[in-house]
Amino acid sequence: MDGIKKILAPTDLSNLSKGGVRCALEIARSDGAEVIVYNVITFEETPFPHAIEEWVASQVEHPRVKSTLEERKRLLASFVGEGFADIDPKIKIRQEVEIGVPYKKIVEKAAEEGVDMIVMCTQGRTGLLHMVIGSVTEQVVGRAPCPVLSVPPPR
């Protein structure tokens, strides 16, 4: 690898996910890389909870889907603006929101963008909860087209 030029930093907009985004921004600062802060609206969060996920994702011009996407873009902008106001303004940050299954969209986005690295936090679930729900990070690690840095939750 000739250096890191582009980093994908997925976030669910939680306080926990700030650790992964912050780590991505720190790496970008030291390497001069671009960071794509990426949020995926899950199927359950769409205005059509019983529709097929691929169909909903393709309906970006539908007023309810468009409204959901626009609201999430505002939330992501606020998350980045307020949570990382101390970050060097020279770091190139791009913000993107899409609808779908998070691990699938993250892996697709990484391949589509040709990112050098994905940096994301883990939820820290263990035991039965982990077995039932799984881990988006774990699913991404197993499918990603590039290295994945998994940032543990703060202790």
Side-chain angles (χ1 to χ4, degrees):
M1 191 183 288
D2 290 331
I4 298 170
K5 305 274 189 266
K6 195 183 290 188
I7 301 168
L8 183 62
T11 177
D12 62 4
L13 307 181
S14 68
N15 282 331
L16 185 62
S17 72
K18 285 181 180 178
V21 175
R22 181 162 297 279
C23 184
L25 293 168
E26 292 296 331
I27 293 168
R29 182 176 48 85
S30 65
D31 284 10
E34 173 186 17
V35 176
I36 303 166
V37 181
Y38 185 58
N39 178 251
V40 178
I41 300 172
T42 63
F43 182 51
E44 294 79 24
E45 296 173 295
T46 64
F48 304 100
H50 301 291
I52 298 171
E53 170 243 318
E54 287 85 10
W55 181 84
V56 173
S58 73
Q59 302 302 308
V60 294
E61 293 304 315
H62 187 285
R64 291 178 71 191
V65 174
K66 197 173 194 173
S67 171
T68 300
L69 282 166
E70 292 305 316
E71 176 59 22
R72 186 57 64 93
K73 287 176 183 177
R74 283 190 291 277
L75 289 171
L76 180 58
S78 177
F79 174 83
V80 171
E82 293 171 12
F84 307 99
D86 61 322
I87 293 296
D88 185 343
K90 294 179 209 155
I91 298 172
K92 183 176 181 189
I93 301 172
R94 185 165 27 120
Q95 301 171 37
E96 297 207 15
V97 175
E98 292 183 327
I99 297 171
V101 177
Y103 82 87
K104 287 181 182 178
K105 296 303 282 186
I106 292 165
V107 170
E108 288 170 8
K109 185 61 137 178
E112 172 189 311
E113 292 282 346
V115 301
D116 300 301
M117 173 185 279
I118 300 170
V119 178
M120 58 193 301
C121 93
T122 60
Q123 295 293 332
R125 293 187 182 111
T126 59
L128 183 60
L129 187 59
H130 175 73
M131 286 174 33
V132 172
I133 297 173
S135 162
V136 173
T137 304
E138 185 176 329
Q139 292 172 337
V140 169
V141 166
R143 295 168 174 84
C146 61
V148 178
L149 176 59
S150 173
V151 179
R155 302 255 177 239

